[in-house]
Amino acid sequence: MKTFLKVLLLIFPCFIQVQAQKIGLLLDDYIIERWYSDQKYFTEKVKELGGEVLVEVAYSDTAQQVELAKKLIGSGAKVLVVIPTDSHQAARIADVAKKSGVPVVSYDRLILSENIAAYVSYDNRKVGMLQAKYALEKMPGGKYILMNGPTSDNNALLFKAGQEEVLAPSIKSGKIQVIGSFVMDDWGQLGAYMKLQDFFSKTKERPDAVVVANDELATGVIQALPKDITGKTIVTGQDADLAGIKNILVGNQAMTVYKPIKPLAEKAAEIAMHLARGTAIKGLTKTNLGTISVNAILLDPVTVDKSNYMETVIKDGQVKLSDLKTN
Ligand code: BGC
């Protein structure tokens, strides 16, 4: 009897391992701090639901991301959850996966293909609208600069479109004047810094507000602003990352748009596990997203500034108070 129990105990974990559904998580890069958290929360939730996560990172290489998708499928991934490097090019991933019968979940950024099973993100147009609304409230008239992310990221286009929609009436009435609008090749802060440095070296114009798409770019913008206007110029951001919150606390950045990562990552994990098991998924709505219509869930972004960062970003643990203090 004892031996029988021992054998059972030995076999049981193996049995569980065989049963664990493999989910492929295919990231773009780690340039922005948030993607570590996305990976962490996603992996934890999949594990909790009885699955296993295989991770690959494309490091901003579009062609490589397609190869990594094939690799994940080859390694037994039953579902791919993808943060596309390039929203158009990643349609290849959706095609390849479809041929292998592997559903694709487009995570945070949209893959421009109807061959995806689901899209899980925030309302990205609203992100841009919140940035511009905040800037207009603080600076209803004056000179504006817009600083946005790469066109290869569908979100970057939506952030910009949202900003422009809100700013349009004030531009038309002449209340605000856009003295520069920059679209970066990537999301790195160095590019933003160099772009603005170059701008200020060629003109005496000074902005009253810089509507910036995320905290990473905002950090570059703040470093490039002439000293006499740093802290006076309204600078926006997004992601509520550690640097962003620090910039807000010292007064160099006015706001950030907070998109809690945990609920997003957990939703994606649940959907992925349902797809892997072939069980019904709740909460997805067929949504028209410009050129394509897909099953989507779009969460609501929140404006965060000095007045509410404690009861949002800190309370949720997205940024730790101890990190703010020690840094
Ligand atoms: C995400 C942002 C992020 C940016 C750079 C966008 O697609 O929505 O949260 O800051 O990519 O990684």
Side-chain angles (χ1 to χ4, degrees), residues 127-148:
V127 170
M129 295 178 80
L130 292 177
Q131 292 165 336
K133 267 188 194 158
Y134 194 97
L136 269 188
E137 260 168 46
K138 301 282 171 194
M139 202 59 76
K143 292 178 179 162
Y144 272 55
I145 289 179
L146 269 55
M147 170 73 71
N148 277 290

Side-chain angles (χ1 to χ4, degrees), residues 61 64 68 72 108 110-111 116 130 151 167 192 196 210 216 282 300 302 305:
D61 185 330
Q64 174 69 356
L68 291 172
L72 285 168
D108 190 76
L110 182 62
I111 296 174
I116 56 172
L130 292 177
T151 53
L167 297 179
L196 268 200
V210 190
E216 177 78 10
K282 285 186 201 132
D300 209 23
V302 178
D305 65 6

Side-chain angles (χ1 to χ4, degrees), residues 56-72:
E56 292 293 346
V57 188
Y59 294 103
S60 311
D61 185 330
T62 307
Q64 174 69 356
Q65 199 171 36
V66 180
E67 294 312 308
L68 291 172
K70 290 181 191 161
K71 182 178 168 196
L72 285 168

Side-chain angles (χ1 to χ4, degrees), residues 1 3 21 65 104 108 114 116-117 120 135 169 211 218 224 250 292 301 304:
M1 186 64 182
T3 341
Q21 306 277 3
Q65 199 171 36
V104 169
D108 190 76
E114 290 198 348
I116 56 172
V120 188
V211 180
V250 297
I292 58 167
V304 160

Side-chain angles (χ1 to χ4, degrees), residues 9 16 25 62-63 65 150-151 180 192 200 206 235 248-249 285 323:
L9 279 172
I16 291 179
L25 176 64
T62 307
Q65 199 171 36
T151 53
F200 289 125
R206 296 292 180 257
V235 175
I248 288 176
L249 291 182
T285 315
D323 285 342

Side-chain angles (χ1 to χ4, degrees), residues 32 34-35 108-109 153 155 159 187 214 238-239 259:
I32 310 283
R34 67 159 285 184
W35 303 116
D108 190 76
R109 299 177 184 164
D153 177 349
N155 283 350
F159 303 148
W187 284 105
N214 77 354
Q238 167 187 195
D239 288 330
K259 305 184 298 182

